[in-house]
Amino acid sequence: MKRISALSAAVIVCLSISQFVRAEATNHIVISELQTGSSASASQEFIELYNPTNQAISVEGWQLQYRPAGATSSWTNRTSSGLHGSIAANGYYLIAATTYLASADAAFSSGMAQSGGSVRIVDGTGQVIDVLGWGTAVEFEGSPAAAPAAGQSLERQPGEANPSGGNGIDSDNNQADFAIRQNPEPQSTVSAIEVPGDPITTPVTNPGSSTDTGSTPASSPSSVLGQPKINELFIDPAAPLTDLHDEFIELYNPTPSPIDLTGYVLKTGADFHDTYTIPSGSLAVGGYIALYSTQTHLSLTNTGGAAELLDASGGVVDQTDVYDGSLTGLSFSRFGDDWRWSTALTPGAANIYAAVPNATLASASSSARTSSRRAASSRSAASKVKAVKATKAPKVAGLLADQHTAGLASRWLIIGLATLTIGYAIYEFRYDLQNHYTRAKRNYRTWREARRPPSGR
């Protein structure tokens, strides 16, 4: 019984190791982001692909196909000469409408409907690699994703929840796998690679679904999906506007479902001591709401601070970057994961980045250097600062090194476990192995004796 138990343990460990290895990454190219039109033009469209595997994959001869939402519609090729080249391991590939996005790796003819449609990638043999349907689509995986508004995009998870973790979550359900991104971020083969996390352990709350596949720590607001976001702060109104009446905090709903804001709490101040609880209200899909100081009685300090948003249970769901000093009459706005000063004030609407003159920036001490990241483990706004990424290219460097080190450690752990398993099996069966060796040696001698010619001839 002891030998059987040891053998069973060895088998279980080996199976566990194989499961661990299989969980590291998905095994095919996925559609990772889609834009059906910018705020400037409906023809400014793009489709981004991502390779979540650890090997480069050739896309030579592949096709991008589109199917309108009509019931009698059919699939048509949108890339006349097909795709070319390959996608690096954990890398991106960008297909953009002709004359749109100079960084694109391939071009296609525009014409995707914002209200609904489907795209898919097929290889040179016609095999379907991945499908994305949105809005009123008639073909999709699971359920269609929400239709993005002009200037927004659909991004595959983890996306903004883990900005350096790629876009490799694939549950075969478009609604669960994609979230609306307010500020699209098309990436191509020249963009930095992003190594995906383990899809089993990456905490994700699927937007549009009640299923939570992991716990999201309250100390990481950027990982909370299915929640509203703080989108814009108006900190220092210029005369004749006043702080008492015209300061505002704007919220935005990036999810595919309306959000009941009842009980949500806004906090401001250097140590978040000023609070306002939203008594009631709903935020529509893709909607914005500006909460003015006349209603909230919140004060946005001019000398440095931040704002944070808590849900009705008290969990932090979002926090702005810390600003060191305010700029009179300007907007402190979210653009993707970054916060910037803009001359365009847009309460109740999508943010518009209008660059601030250098002289204005210089007049406010370090006001443009809002390169701290959100965190919520401390009540002091200053202690919540983390280094913010300026672009996706530099942000990956440090995290990629950490993930590479973790990957090497995992592989050495696997090798160590396998070695221990084999060593234990040899030790446990050492007497049987010795008997087999002795028997084999004796049989070999008998065989040689039988083949020896008779003596005396």
Side-chain angles (χ1 to χ4, degrees):
M1 288 299 293
K2 186 176 180 182
R3 283 186 233 158
I4 295 176
S5 298
L7 183 59
S8 300
V11 171
I12 290 172
V13 170
C14 290
L15 288 175
S16 299
I17 291 171
S18 65
Q19 284 293 103
F20 179 80
V21 172
R22 284 200 299 272
E24 284 188 343
T26 53
N27 60 358
H28 64 87
I29 299 295
V30 293
I31 299 169
S32 53
E33 191 172 357
L34 173 143
Q35 177 182 283
T36 58
S38 71
S39 54
S41 172
S43 64
Q44 292 183 339
E45 306 168 343
F46 73 81
I47 293 97
E48 175 193 275
L49 308 181
Y50 175 65
N51 177 5
T53 76
N54 58 8
Q55 293 183 341
I57 296 179
S58 172
V59 294
E60 197 69 34
W62 289 23
Q63 280 284 355
L64 167 67
Q65 297 183 338
Y66 172 68
R67 180 179 180 181
T72 59
S73 61
S74 58
W75 291 99
T76 57
N77 291 341
R78 304 308 289 267
T79 44
S80 57
S81 60
L83 307 184
H84 302 284
S86 63
I87 309 179
N90 309 134
Y92 290 90
Y93 190 98
L94 183 61
I95 314 167
T98 305
T99 72
Y100 181 48
L101 299 179
S103 61
D105 301 296
F108 73 99
S109 53
S110 62
M112 297 187 295
Q114 178 183 315
S115 60
S118 307
V119 294
R120 70 182 184 184
I121 298 295
V122 298
D123 65 16
T125 66
Q127 179 180 351
V128 177
I129 305 300
D130 196 27
V131 178
L132 168 59
W134 67 94
T136 56
V138 294
E139 189 147 351
F140 41 80
E141 293 181 354
S143 300
Q152 298 177 339
S153 67
L154 285 173
E155 184 182 42
R156 183 181 292 275
Q157 295 186 34
E160 289 185 279
N162 181 6
S164 298
N167 305 89
I169 300 298
D170 188 8
S171 66
D172 293 329
N173 186 325
N174 292 158
Q175 184 186 74
D177 292 341
F178 284 85
I180 290 178
R181 184 183 179 106
Q182 179 192 353
N183 298 289
E185 189 172 18
Q187 294 169 273
S188 66
T189 53
V190 299
S191 301
I193 65 170
E194 296 184 6
V195 179
D198 186 337
I200 290 178
T201 59
T202 300
V204 172
T205 302
N206 295 331
S209 169
S210 60
T211 303
D212 185 355
T213 60
S215 59
T216 303
S219 61
S220 181
S222 62
S223 67
V224 179
L225 300 178
Q227 296 280 13
K229 291 181 178 292
I230 304 174
N231 194 58
E232 184 178 4
L233 301 181
F234 188 33
I235 300 164
D236 187 17
L241 302 181
T242 65
D243 292 353
L244 184 62
H245 293 90
D246 300 296
E247 288 185 358
F248 67 77
I249 301 172
E250 181 188 73
L251 303 182
Y252 165 64
N253 178 4
T255 78
S257 303
I259 297 175
D260 182 4
L261 294 177
T262 303
Y264 276 77
V265 177
L266 282 169
K267 292 190 174 185
T268 62
D271 57 358
F272 299 113
H273 63 276
D274 297 327
T275 65
Y276 169 72
T277 302
I278 301 175
S280 62
S282 177
L283 193 54
V285 175
Y288 302 83
I289 182 172
L291 301 172
Y292 284 85
S293 52
T294 51
Q295 173 187 354
T296 65
H297 303 293
L298 292 175
S299 175
L300 295 168
T301 176
N302 294 345
T303 57
E308 75 176 7
L309 178 66
L310 290 71
D311 61 21
S313 66
V316 177
V317 298
D318 197 24
Q319 181 190 323
T320 71
D321 281 356
V322 175
Y323 56 89
D324 295 322
S326 63
L327 296 180
T328 302
L330 302 186
S331 164
F332 190 50
S333 301
R334 178 196 294 272
F335 294 93
D337 280 342
D338 296 334
W339 283 84
R340 304 177 187 174
W341 293 101
S342 172
T343 60
L345 200 64
T346 58
N351 293 339
I352 298 173
Y353 179 62
V356 180
N358 289 336
T360 305
L361 290 173
S363 67
S365 59
S366 303
S367 59
R369 298 179 182 179
T370 54
S371 57
S372 52
R373 295 301 301 136
R374 289 183 294 283
S377 57
S378 168
R379 304 315 300 164
S380 169
S383 67
K384 296 184 178 184
V385 177
K386 292 182 181 178
V388 67
K389 60 179 178 42
T391 64
K392 268 201 173 182
K395 80 179 179 187
V396 165
L399 291 174
L400 185 56
D402 293 341
Q403 291 171 355
H404 178 68
T405 302
L408 289 176
S410 299
R411 283 161 176 77
W412 279 113
L413 176 62
I414 293 171
I415 294 172
L417 287 173
T419 302
L420 288 174
T421 302
I422 295 170
Y424 182 77
I426 292 173
Y427 174 78
E428 185 66 26
F429 294 96
R430 63 189 183 280
Y431 297 115
D432 290 339
L433 292 173
Q434 185 178 3
N435 290 336
H436 281 298
Y437 173 74
T438 302
R439 189 180 303 114
K441 187 175 180 180
R442 185 168 54 249
N443 290 340
Y444 176 71
R445 287 176 178 173
T446 302
W447 175 77
R448 289 198 60 180
E449 289 291 335
R451 289 179 57 86
R452 181 177 298 173
S455 59
R457 299 251 179 151

